[in-house]
Amino acid sequence: MDLISYTYDLVRQIPPGRVSTYGAVAEALGDIRAARAVGRMMNQNPNADTMPCYKIVYSDGRLGGFGLGIEDKIRRLREDNIEVVDGRIKDFDKVFFNDFKTSYPLKKLRRQQLEMRDKVSLNNSFTEVNTVAGFDVAYPKSDFDTACGAIVIMDYHSIEVVEEEVVYSKTMFPYIPTYLVFRELPFLEKLMAKIDVKPDILMVDGNGIMHPIKFGLACQAGVTLDIPCIGVAKKRLYGKVREDNWVVDDDMILGYAFYASYKVRKPVYISPGHNISLESSINIVKKLSRFKNPEPLRRAHILATSSLL
DNA sequence: GCGACAG
DNA sequence: ATCTTGTCGC
Ligand SMILES: [Mg+2]
């Protein structure tokens, strides 16, 4: 079962007359970081009569949001004999439910990642670079509509497009910080099976080792697909950005904040994913950068966005 | 209270 | 990412 259905089934466990919180549901999924994703999944709830998202409130007892209007959330709570006083659940600690039956799916996924992590190499597995691919996914407004993944393969020397492909699929996994790979890797796997040219290097819109467990999208994509992979993120996820633009944690240098030109206000954050060094990652991104994002990624982003159904 | 939170 | 149903730590 997919994580969205799993989340809805967790919410269905809440007994009559009880409420729970976005964070508590996230912890039942296996990681408090999913709290906002729980909120989003509640927001996208297709049927408020069969999945009682009105039972989910903020961790401090305030009501949180409701797509059908907060008055309707209050009405549904009162029908369950849950009183709302001054925008808060009355006797919140007494009606708070946190006894979910769960197998903590996010913890399972994290364990799998920690096992896979040993396979990461930060040495170049290639001797020359002739083609570089960029990969990105564009999402529709509703998580139940079809998303579009795109890959653009370019010649490293002429910087011309060699091949482009798109794939379509429903989104099966919400966006949860540090779990991006489970949302986007399925699109990349489909694309890799579809292309004629196997690129020498892959670039993804996300991080490599610049990640709390040093195993971001670029690492897992590289290991899974057995391809040298660079992470190029628009925002920092993990690590401290030093004055000299190197990104570090207590252990090591993780990546580099790269400004494509003096016109660019914000950097991209480069970190190696797999079968490539940080130094080579930076050199390749630099060579392919005309604007903020390196060309294969910039074009993959445009292709995915413009191909949305 | 404000910022942090890959997409 | 899209246009918003979060939580924690400083
Ligand atoms: Mg993206």
Side-chain angles (χ1 to χ4, degrees), chain A residues 150-174:
Chain A
I151 193 165
V152 175
I153 305 167
M154 302 187 74
D155 186 281
Y156 185 62
H157 307 287
S158 67
I159 315 190
E160 285 176 353
V161 175
V162 174
E163 186 177 357
E164 298 181 328
E165 294 287 350
V166 298
V167 293
Y168 293 96
S169 178
K170 304 273 187 201
T171 310
M172 298 310 289
F173 200 95

Side-chain angles (χ1 to χ4, degrees), chain A residues 19 69 79 122 135 172 247 258 289 301:
Chain A
V19 300
E79 279 178 8
L122 301 182
F135 163 71
M172 298 310 289
V247 183
F258 171 63
S289 288
H301 179 81

